[in-house]
Amino acid sequence: MFFFERPNDYKKTKDIALQLLDKYKPDKNNIINAINLTSTQHLLNEEQIHSLKFGNERYINWLWVKILSSRNIFMLSSSLTKQFKNITPLSVQQQTDTNTIDILDFFKLNKTPISTKEKKDIIIDFFDLVAVTKTDKIQILNNINNDWHDIETVDDFSWINKNNPDLCTWAINYINEYSQKNNLSFFMISDVKVESDYYKFILLFDSLICLPDTKKLFIQSIKKAYSQKKFRDKQVGKKQCSFNLSEKAIQQLSLLSDLQGVPKNHILESLINNKILELGVK
């Protein structure tokens, strides 16, 4: 038996372990065979781990929140068994020393990654390092994707421009005010860093603790508020006017509006601007 100080990176620990392995040459092959057997029983292959949707930044942020708040496979699995279609693996049905190890602390993984890539890498590390069988890991991955399907299908947020920071800030403020007004809370996201306010807003939405129907009501509410916001933004620099026109002028104005496919106020503004230019008035 040997002991050594574990560095702040488990991959560095692996390098140290390989160096130590060279010192035990008589037992080296037996140790390697034992490691390979353990790997076969516990490590997911590339296809299995990539059943997680690593090409979807929204998904990665949501899953990272799940893992960060769980820290171990028992808590993660417990948070994914609320839907009847999820099956809890036998190895995580009860709390044991192996399935309640805080993976992030024990292996000193970064708890505050910002980039999507780093979150993805830590998620893979998490599933590599938890001490349950490959079969049970696959079931947990299935449970994750079952839960994700219910979240993803509420809305795809194609209506919000991710490249408009003012709009994304408005959406964040709206969901915060809406949650306070309706006594809704968020799953733990205070320590989660994201790459833009667009993904922060979506993460807030995905982390709302409520039924899907409540989330759908929120979507209806924010879309209505967004439509009103767009209308108000268009009215900047405009004032309502009230004056009388003859019935003939009203009919002609309506005709021009229909022929040109623009609102009546645009017709009037165009006529006024043209007359100003004609008279040379500044």
Side-chain angles (χ1 to χ4, degrees):
M1 180 64 68
F2 52 83
F3 298 92
F4 56 88
E5 179 67 22
R6 188 173 71 251
N8 290 333
D9 185 336
Y10 87 93
K11 292 177 182 177
K12 293 179 181 177
T13 304
K14 175 184 172 182
D15 292 337
I16 294 173
L18 290 174
Q19 293 172 14
L20 289 170
L21 192 59
D22 287 336
K23 297 181 180 180
Y24 291 83
K25 291 183 179 179
D27 298 320
K28 184 175 180 178
N29 289 335
N30 291 335
I31 295 172
I32 290 175
N33 289 337
I35 291 172
N36 288 336
L37 178 61
T38 301
S39 298
T40 302
Q41 294 172 338
H42 293 84
L43 283 183
L44 298 165
N45 61 35
E46 286 291 315
E47 182 180 354
Q48 289 162 342
I49 193 66
H50 282 90
S51 67
L52 299 175
K53 305 178 190 303
F54 286 134
N56 186 330
E57 186 164 350
R58 175 184 175 187
Y59 174 93
I60 291 174
N61 285 329
W62 167 78
L63 181 54
W64 172 245
V65 169
K66 285 282 189 183
I67 288 175
L68 181 63
S69 58
S70 299
R71 303 295 189 90
N72 62 63
I73 200 67
F74 174 82
M75 292 301 297
L76 176 63
S77 180
S78 298
S79 74
L80 297 167
T81 55
K82 295 177 182 177
Q83 304 294 330
F84 68 90
K85 57 192 171 186
N86 289 347
I87 301 170
T88 305
L90 291 175
S91 65
V92 292
Q93 286 184 7
Q94 294 181 339
Q95 296 189 52
T96 65
D97 290 341
T98 37
N99 66 27
T100 57
I101 291 175
D102 185 325
I103 298 296
L104 302 184
D105 274 346
F106 188 81
F107 291 100
K108 298 185 179 180
L109 302 178
N110 184 11
K111 303 184 191 70
T112 56
I114 297 177
S115 74
T116 304
K117 181 184 183 306
E118 188 174 6
K119 289 180 188 134
K120 182 194 80 170
D121 290 343
I122 297 171
I123 289 170
I124 293 174
D125 288 343
F126 178 89
F127 283 104
D128 282 347
L129 297 167
V130 292
V132 296
T133 65
K134 182 191 297 187
T135 301
D136 288 346
K137 288 180 182 180
I138 291 171
Q139 183 57 58
I140 292 170
L141 298 190
N142 290 337
N143 291 349
I144 287 170
N145 288 328
N146 283 340
D147 280 25
W148 171 248
H149 178 266
D150 293 340
I151 291 172
E152 181 186 34
T153 51
V154 175
D155 196 85
D156 63 2
F157 298 99
S158 58
W159 52 273
I160 186 169
N161 182 357
K162 68 169 65 177
N163 298 315
N164 185 334
D166 291 337
L167 175 58
C168 295
T169 299
W170 171 85
I172 290 170
N173 292 334
Y174 187 90
I175 194 171
N176 282 325
E177 291 173 6
Y178 183 94
S179 62
Q180 291 175 9
K181 181 180 178 181
N182 293 276
N183 296 317
L184 300 176
S185 57
F186 301 103
F187 204 62
M188 190 213 66
I189 61 168
S190 59
D191 294 331
V192 176
K193 311 297 182 183
V194 293
E195 293 184 330
S196 72
D197 278 350
Y198 171 76
Y199 287 108
K200 181 177 180 180
F201 163 66
I202 295 181
L203 183 58
L204 284 168
F205 175 81
D206 290 340
S207 302
L208 272 174
I209 303 174
C210 60
L211 296 172
D213 286 346
T214 303
K215 287 191 172 185
K216 289 176 182 177
L217 288 175
F218 166 76
I219 291 297
Q220 292 174 9
S221 177
I222 193 172
K223 283 185 175 180
K224 182 178 179 181
Y226 181 42
S227 296
Q228 294 171 343
K229 171 180 165 55
K230 287 193 292 185
F231 177 78
R232 289 193 304 271
D233 290 346
K234 288 180 180 179
Q235 304 312 307
V236 174
K238 297 181 180 181
K239 290 185 178 180
Q240 189 170 2
C241 296
S242 178
F243 50 83
N244 295 324
L245 290 176
S246 67
E247 290 186 5
K248 183 177 181 180
I250 292 173
Q251 292 173 358
Q252 291 173 332
L253 181 59
S254 295
L255 177 61
L256 287 172
S257 176
D258 292 339
L259 289 173
Q260 296 188 29
V262 294
K264 296 174 185 177
N265 65 306
H266 288 193
I267 298 293
L268 289 173
E269 288 179 6
S270 178
L271 292 171
I272 293 170
N273 288 334
N274 289 338
K275 192 63 178 179
I276 288 291
L277 291 172
E278 180 185 325
L279 296 174
V281 178
K282 294 184 179 180

